[in-house]
Amino acid sequence: MVTLTAFLLLEAASIVAGAPTQVSNDSSTSFLANAKAGVTTLQTWYNQSTGLWDTTGWWNSANCLTVLGDLTALDSSLLNSSAAIFNNTFLRAPISNLGQSVWKSNASKPLPPTGVIETQGFINEYYDDEAWWALGWIQAYDLTHDQRYLDTAADIFEDMTTGWNATCGGVWWDKSHTQNGAIENELFLSVAAHLGRRIPSNASYYRDWAMKEWTWFQNSGMINAENTINNGLDLTTCRNDNGTVWSYNQGVILGGLVELSKLVGNTSYISTAQKIADAAIQALSDSDGVLIESCEPDCTGDAPQFKGVFMRNLQALYQASPEDGIKEFLETNANSIWQNDQGKDSELGDSWSGPLSNADATTQSSACDALVAAASL
């Protein structure tokens, strides 16, 4: 009996065998082949028993699911195999303990006071975790039209609304009310806007939440004078905490604003997103135009996931409003990953300028986000 992962490996065997070691910036065919080879390797970490990806955490598995969906959107021949993965994850992940155990061992987020992360379906202690799954299921719904996935995303969003009205406004990071940050609020905006476009019968409800979130966010102070976004707010002063300018905080807001622009028919949100994207590219690129995280080369915990999130949402912005600078940036990074950050079996690491080190499902899915983004051009 052929397993789901083996099915994907067989399907992409010819691609892996012929994967180029170099690509030209105008070769979308090569970008797609590289993306398929990278995702095929990602699927070697997929655990059919748990419905999650080994070597990574709970929310990271939601991003693995999303990159698989994004690739499938480019190549419909993957739909049947990807749909099987979606279904397996939907059924098995909620009853798995893997997400909890990985969080405990990573210790990249503090545990809630009880010392236990309660996971009910795709709802847990952290509002941002929930939102990653919501976006993953929305993408799965777009591809399969399976109503279960959209209903789950809507249920997740309803739980997220219970975190509204944090000390400084907006949404809390967690249900223990310990932080008021950028990522959970950007995700809240994005999920609301995505649902508003997919549930017409309740569009006004989601639109109002998305508008309310954006009004608060743009006045929160987290967008600094350089048009980049810091990590969160100081709960004592409710001012920008001057925390790290992480790449994913520059990314999620782009996708949220693109969806909001489509939902309400206002292109000013696209203009705002372009300013943030341009500032992020300038602030977070090395001299060769390759995206770097401030913690490199020693990123641990969640950080290796962040850059792919930025590239995924930068792709969404480019699709809404093509800009040559963004196209060049996406292609430059995809080239660098494939030429400098690739192992013998298409493993992809954290540092996109190379050399390859410590590849796992987190670094693989993040780099695959960049490859898929370039392929989409």
Side-chain angles (χ1 to χ4, degrees):
M1 180 176 182
V2 179
T3 65
L4 296 178
T5 300
F7 184 85
L8 276 177
L9 288 168
L10 289 170
E11 194 278 339
S14 61
I15 297 169
V16 176
T21 56
Q22 293 187 356
V23 295
S24 60
N25 273 6
D26 61 354
S27 178
S28 61
T29 301
S30 294
F31 285 133
L32 180 59
N34 295 346
K36 292 175 75 172
V39 171
T40 297
T41 298
L42 173 64
Q43 289 309 103
T44 65
W45 282 290
Y46 185 69
N47 187 321
Q48 292 185 67
S49 296
T50 65
L52 300 169
W53 280 257
D54 290 338
T55 73
T56 195
W58 174 249
W59 79 272
N60 311 81
S61 283
N63 279 272
C64 294
L65 186 85
T66 302
V67 74
L68 179 62
D70 287 344
L71 177 62
T72 303
L74 298 181
D75 185 347
S76 60
S77 72
L78 299 174
L79 182 57
N80 288 339
S81 57
S82 295
I85 298 293
F86 300 154
N87 181 65
N88 191 64
T89 294
F90 185 81
L91 296 176
R92 292 186 177 271
I95 58 176
S96 169
N97 291 323
L98 181 62
Q100 298 182 27
S101 63
V102 170
W103 277 126
K104 291 177 182 178
S105 62
N106 269 352
S108 55
K109 288 184 177 180
L111 290 172
T114 60
V116 176
I117 299 177
E118 297 290 346
T119 301
Q120 297 179 337
F122 296 94
I123 292 173
N124 71 353
E125 173 71 14
Y126 299 99
Y127 292 114
D128 57 337
D129 287 7
E130 296 180 5
W132 296 115
W133 283 107
L135 291 174
W137 292 127
I138 289 169
Q139 174 67 313
Y141 167 77
D142 286 348
L143 293 166
T144 65
H145 308 293
D146 189 325
Q147 191 64 35
R148 294 177 301 167
Y149 303 146
L150 188 61
D151 290 345
T152 296
D155 289 343
I156 291 171
F157 182 76
E158 285 309 297
D159 189 73
M160 293 184 70
T161 65
T162 67
W164 185 261
N165 203 23
T167 295
C168 302
V171 176
W172 285 107
W173 172 55
D174 60 353
K175 292 174 182 176
S176 300
H177 296 178
T178 63
Q179 294 183 35
N180 195 183
I183 192 59
E184 63 271 15
N185 282 284
E186 295 180 18
L187 286 163
F188 187 87
L189 166 64
S190 189
V191 174
H194 274 82
L195 289 174
R197 294 189 59 227
R198 289 157 178 82
I199 308 179
S201 61
N202 215 11
S204 61
Y205 171 75
Y206 294 113
R207 182 192 63 233
D208 290 349
W209 269 119
M211 294 291 292
K212 186 176 182 180
E213 172 62 64
W214 174 239
T215 297
W216 174 80
F217 190 88
Q218 68 177 146
N219 293 305
S220 69
M222 283 187 286
I223 304 176
N224 59 41
E226 287 74 41
N227 282 320
T228 57
I229 299 170
N230 294 98
N231 197 52
L233 298 174
D234 183 307
L235 290 180
T236 301
T237 64
C238 287
R239 294 187 178 184
N240 189 317
D241 64 6
N242 294 313
T244 303
V245 176
W246 295 111
S247 62
Y248 78 152
N249 280 331
Q250 323 311 307
V252 173
I253 195 66
L254 306 181
L257 288 172
V258 167
E259 287 293 315
L260 182 59
S261 174
K262 294 176 180 177
L263 180 61
V264 302
N266 186 340
T267 58
S268 69
Y269 299 120
I270 298 293
S271 299
T272 299
Q274 287 175 326
K275 290 178 182 177
I276 294 171
D278 291 343
I281 289 172
Q282 181 176 357
L284 300 178
S285 297
D286 66 14
S287 58
D288 294 319
V290 177
L291 184 64
I292 56 173
E293 208 70 71
S294 60
C295 56
E296 289 184 36
D298 300 312
C299 294
T300 59
D302 293 339
Q305 192 78 60
F306 294 169
K307 292 188 295 185
V309 173
F310 178 69
M311 303 302 271
R312 180 195 311 153
N313 286 280
L314 195 61
Q315 169 198 351
L317 176 59
Y318 181 83
Q319 298 293 349
S321 181
E323 187 178 272
D324 288 343
I326 291 178
K327 181 176 186 289
E328 180 181 356
F329 181 75
L330 292 174
E331 293 179 339
T332 294
N333 278 268
N335 282 328
S336 185
I337 289 168
W338 203 251
Q339 294 165 9
N340 304 313
D341 187 34
Q342 182 193 177
K344 63 182 180 63
D345 295 316
S346 299
E347 312 98 320
L348 306 171
D350 181 25
S351 178
W352 292 354
S353 59
L356 173 69
S357 64
N358 301 322
D360 59 16
T362 300
T363 65
Q364 189 79 18
S365 59
S366 183
C368 283
D369 269 318
L371 299 178
V372 171
S376 75
L377 304 179

